[in-house]
Amino acid sequence: MRRAVEAIEEQSEYERSVKAFALKVLDSCKRSGDRLTLACCLKLFIEIGIQMRYMRRFPPEARLDVLKRRGRRGVSFNMSMLERSGLPGPYKRRVLRTYLKVSSYVHPSPEAMTGDMPDDLVTEVFEVLSLLYSFRG
């Protein structure tokens, strides 16, 4: 994951800010080591990837301003960003399915209350993160 974060191209202040934030999240997650924190971190990394793909719609110099405007409305991130991310439909569906699965371990759901997140879900999240952070389409 660190390599994917470090590979974020710093085209603008937005990307520099995202990269610094993602590195903080990564370091915090590594220190914790518990499964709930892992689920929160994986969910957050999916959100970062979706937001970055969405923000590519805007010129690099406008991205941080766009995010600030969205933030004032309380929508720095929402799932509509995935729809407008530029990913082809099958990839969007895969990202959404994985996001919903990992989210179930962050919210007070039956999955979170009755068991740990399975290792194969962690693998699935990393595959989705690879797609979000490296897909050039």
Side-chain angles (χ1 to χ4, degrees):
M1 190 65 228
R2 180 169 291 280
R3 276 182 283 174
V5 170
E6 289 174 347
I8 295 172
E9 295 178 18
E10 297 180 35
Q11 299 176 358
S12 70
E13 187 178 347
Y14 166 75
E15 283 86 2
R16 284 187 292 281
S17 297
V18 167
K19 188 174 190 175
F21 175 70
L23 287 169
K24 281 186 215 174
V25 170
L26 187 61
D27 290 341
S28 176
C29 294
K30 283 175 54 177
R31 279 194 304 273
S32 171
D34 70 79
R35 296 299 265 191
L36 177 59
T37 302
L38 174 63
C40 291
C41 291
L42 293 174
K43 179 178 177 275
L44 190 53
F45 277 114
I46 292 173
E47 291 171 355
I48 291 168
I50 291 169
Q51 184 191 77
M52 282 192 312
R53 292 206 48 85
Y54 170 80
M55 295 303 283
R56 288 181 188 167
R57 300 174 54 213
F58 304 97
E61 65 277 1
R63 292 174 184 165
L64 195 56
D65 288 334
V66 169
L67 186 62
K68 286 177 183 178
R69 279 194 308 275
R70 289 182 64 89
R72 285 193 291 271
R73 295 189 321 263
V75 288
S76 296
F77 172 82
N78 63 24
M79 287 309 289
S80 71
M81 289 177 160
L82 178 60
E83 187 57 38
R84 298 184 206 122
S85 68
L87 284 174
Y91 296 121
K92 285 182 200 173
R93 284 189 291 281
R94 182 170 185 205
V95 169
L96 179 60
R97 276 194 312 271
T98 302
Y99 179 79
L100 293 173
K101 284 182 196 176
V102 78
S103 292
S104 71
Y105 290 93
V106 174
H107 303 291
S109 67
E111 294 86 357
M113 292 182 214
T114 59
D116 279 338
M117 185 173 53
D119 290 336
D120 62 333
L121 179 54
V122 175
T123 301
E124 184 178 335
V125 170
F126 279 117
E127 291 168 357
V128 162
L129 291 174
S130 176
L131 174 70
L132 287 169
Y133 283 70
S134 64
F135 188 88
R136 296 289 175 210

